[in-house]
Amino acid sequence: MKQKVLLLAICLLAILSLQAQTNERYIEVTGTSEIEIVPDKIHYLIEIREYFEEEFDGKSKPEEYRTKVPLSEIEQGLREALAKAGIPQNAIRTQEIGDYWRQQGQDFLVSKKFDITLTDFNQINEILKRIDTKGIHTMRIGELENKDMLAYHQKGKIEALKAAQRKATYLVEALGKKLGDVIRIVEEGNSNAFPFAQSNVLSSDAASFDNFRTIKKNYSMLVRFEIID
C-alpha cells in the first residue's frame, strides 16, 4: 500500500513539474563579445637549413652543387645576429633537428628549428635587419601569450552576459513585458577569432605581421530569462 502511495506521489510531482515547465514564460538569447589582447610574449620560430654555396652564384645547376655550408656555421651566424638584435641567449630554445631530402642522389640537408621568445614585435624588425637569409628556410610567428589571459577570459564572458541581458531586455520591452530573473546560463564554445593563423605566416617583412599583433578572443553565452508582466 505504501509503495502505491509513493508511486502516486512521484507521478503527481512529475505532472506538476511538467505543467510548470509548460506554463513557464521565458526568452532565450545569445550574447557575444570580442576581446583584443596585446601579447607580452611572442614566440618567433626560425628554421635554418644547410645549403650549397653554388645555389646563390646565379649560374650553377643543381647537379653542380658541391660546397655545402654546414648547419653549425649557419647556427653560429644566426646566434650572432640575434645577439646584435638584443636577444639574450636564454630566450632562444631549440625545438627540433632533422634531415631534409633534397633530390635523388643528392646529400641530406640538415635543418634545425628555434623558438625565440620576444616581448615586442619591433624585435622582429631588428632580427630581420641582421640575419643572413641564405641559411634561413622559414620564419614565422608562433603562439602569442599574455600573463593576464585568465582575467581577459573573465572579462570577455562577463561582457557576453551583459550583451545577452541588453538584447533580451529590448526584445521583451518591445512586447510590453519586463525581464525577470535568470533561469539558465550556458557557456557556448569560445574560441579565437582565428585559430592561430599567426602560426602560418611566412615572411621576411615585419610589416606583414601587422594583422597578427594582437590576440583576438570571441565569447558566447546562451542565457534564458524569465518574462514578467
Side-chain angles (χ1 to χ4, degrees):
M1 182 65 179
K2 289 182 179 180
Q3 290 180 344
K4 291 183 178 179
V5 173
L6 180 59
L7 182 60
L8 182 61
I10 292 173
C11 291
L12 182 59
L13 286 172
I15 293 171
L16 291 174
S17 176
L18 181 61
Q19 288 177 341
Q21 291 178 17
T22 304
N23 296 330
E24 186 179 47
R25 296 189 303 169
Y26 64 85
I27 181 172
E28 193 169 71
V29 297
T30 297
T32 61
S33 68
E34 181 178 282
I35 298 291
E36 192 165 343
I37 308 164
V38 177
D40 54 22
K41 185 180 290 187
I42 304 152
H43 291 273
Y44 193 49
L45 308 179
I46 297 179
E47 179 183 355
I48 61 174
R49 180 176 293 172
E50 292 179 330
Y51 65 93
F52 292 93
E53 290 183 358
E54 290 81 3
E55 292 183 55
F56 299 94
D57 64 13
K59 59 182 180 180
S60 298
K61 297 179 181 179
E63 58 270 20
E64 299 173 330
Y65 295 169
R66 294 291 184 272
T67 314
K68 184 192 294 185
V69 179
L71 193 69
S72 58
E73 182 178 325
I74 300 170
E75 180 176 349
Q76 181 180 351
L78 173 62
R79 289 186 179 275
E80 289 175 357
L82 292 173
K84 291 178 181 178
I87 310 300
Q89 288 299 309
N90 60 8
I92 306 169
R93 183 168 60 91
T94 302
Q95 270 202 328
E96 60 181 85
I97 188 168
D99 293 338
Y100 171 70
W101 180 254
R102 184 180 178 79
Q103 289 183 13
Q104 187 173 4
Q106 293 285 341
D107 290 340
F108 277 106
L109 297 179
V110 182
S111 63
K112 193 172 186 178
K113 293 183 179 180
F114 296 86
D115 183 339
I116 304 162
T117 302
L118 308 177
T119 57
D120 191 323
F121 277 95
N122 290 326
Q123 291 177 294
I124 296 177
N125 293 315
E126 296 302 316
I127 293 172
L128 295 177
K129 289 177 185 176
R130 292 169 172 81
I131 59 174
D132 181 0
T133 57
K134 288 180 182 178
I136 305 298
H137 180 61
T138 61
M139 294 182 292
R140 61 191 179 95
I141 295 176
E143 185 179 2
L144 303 180
E145 301 178 31
N146 187 288
K147 63 180 181 298
D148 298 320
M149 190 66 77
L150 179 59
Y152 282 110
H153 286 331
Q154 292 173 347
K155 180 181 178 182
K157 294 173 185 179
I158 291 171
E159 291 301 317
L161 281 173
K162 290 180 178 179
Q165 185 180 41
R166 289 193 297 270
K167 182 191 293 186
T169 298
Y170 73 70
L171 289 174
V172 170
E173 289 180 351
L175 299 175
K177 304 295 182 180
K178 293 181 181 180
L179 200 66
D181 293 334
V182 175
I183 299 173
R184 187 177 70 152
I185 298 175
V186 178
E187 181 181 349
E188 298 186 317
N190 301 315
S191 65
N192 302 310
F194 42 82
F196 273 109
Q198 304 101 310
S199 297
N200 299 320
V201 177
L202 301 176
S203 178
S204 60
D205 180 8
S208 65
F209 299 136
D210 286 345
N211 293 331
F212 306 100
R213 290 179 183 266
T214 59
I215 307 166
K216 293 182 180 179
K217 299 285 291 183
N218 288 333
Y219 300 89
S220 180
M221 306 294 284
L222 180 66
V223 188
R224 180 180 294 183
F225 296 93
E226 180 187 10
I227 298 177
I228 59 178
D229 293 325

